[in-house]
Amino acid sequence: MTTRILLADDQDDVRIGFRLILDAQPDMTVVGEAADGARAVELARHLRPDVVLADVRMPGLDGLEVTRRLAAETRVIVVTTFDLDEYVHTALREGACGFLLKRSGPALLVEAVRAAMAGDTLISPQVTVRLLRGLTRQPPPPLEDPLTARELEIARLVARGHTNARIAAELTISAGTVKTHIAHIQRKVGAANRVGIAAWAWSTGQVT
């Protein structure tokens, strides 16, 4: 199945770069581009993409308003140059399936699209670590099914914002094995996604 993607960014070079990265994936294709928020909403409702990549700052409607209008209809990943907590909180509150900094790199862009299609949420590591460090440490009750040593190791890496590919390379295991471990960790700690795993790790003092 091919994931259909709509790009919304007022900078031509950004859209061109994203298109080159995403169209190079065998399971992804860019079906449309918009240079402003209103056009993004219009195209999304006409083209019915699986994922919309929306810049925060665009003429007319910004990416956060685009997210608010489209999140109930399609998956929206907010992409921005501006590393502001206010943007992250608003984007996630409005239903975004991801929040990426433009400097995060091609691999994370592709992984964010795949995570959104899998029903997960991916946030740029730089943002994740800063936000989660601010959590009040009130440890939840002990786990009924404790994490294994390898699962705990992976949970700590997730909390530090590592992607599955980076975890696999660091631990010399396959990406599929990492994905299986993460599924087990989510079940054990009661997390809906990798952000929940990171929140558990930071709040319980597994990382500092």
Side-chain angles (χ1 to χ4, degrees):
M1 176 180 174
T2 300
T3 299
R4 304 170 70 254
I5 303 164
L6 172 67
L7 305 178
D9 195 296
D10 61 340
Q11 296 182 357
D12 293 345
D13 57 341
V14 171
R15 296 198 311 275
I16 291 170
F18 283 178
R19 178 183 279 274
L20 288 172
I21 293 165
L22 298 169
D23 277 347
Q25 305 305 310
D27 57 342
M28 298 180 189
T29 184
V30 174
V31 296
E33 297 183 20
D36 62 76
R39 181 60 174 161
V41 172
E42 179 185 356
L43 280 178
R45 290 176 173 164
H46 173 67
L47 297 173
R48 300 293 180 185
D50 300 302
V51 176
V52 175
L53 293 176
D55 185 22
V56 169
R57 297 190 181 181
M58 291 187 290
L61 303 179
D62 64 21
L64 302 176
E65 179 62 20
V66 168
T67 302
R68 187 184 72 79
R69 297 191 185 193
L70 293 179
E73 306 169 25
T74 189
R75 303 165 184 86
V76 181
I77 298 171
V78 172
V79 187
T80 183
T81 303
F82 305 98
D83 186 4
L84 301 177
D85 290 354
E86 177 187 355
Y87 287 165
V88 186
H89 292 304
T90 302
L92 296 178
R93 185 174 63 247
E94 297 294 356
C97 292
F99 189 97
L100 296 181
L101 299 180
K102 290 181 180 177
R103 64 177 183 270
S104 295
L108 202 65
L109 179 66
V110 171
E111 187 169 347
V113 172
R114 293 203 170 112
M117 290 300 295
D120 206 346
T121 300
L122 194 150
I123 302 175
S124 281
Q126 305 96 317
V127 177
T128 303
V129 171
R130 189 184 69 250
L131 289 178
L132 295 175
R133 274 181 177 151
L135 288 174
T136 301
R137 290 197 171 177
Q138 298 177 339
L143 300 178
E144 292 184 8
D145 186 4
L147 301 188
T148 65
R150 177 47 61 91
E151 288 169 349
L152 187 55
E153 188 175 23
I154 290 174
R156 287 169 176 155
L157 293 174
V158 169
R160 294 199 174 281
H162 289 30
T163 65
N164 285 6
R166 184 174 174 185
I167 293 172
E170 188 162 327
L171 300 182
T172 320
I173 56 179
S174 72
T177 299
V178 173
K179 186 175 180 180
T180 298
H181 280 307
I182 286 178
H184 291 164
I185 296 167
Q186 286 179 202
R187 176 181 58 79
K188 289 182 177 183
V189 306
N193 49 47
R194 66 194 300 119
V195 177
I197 291 174
W200 174 85
W202 282 99
S203 66
T204 55
Q206 301 300 327
V207 286
T208 57

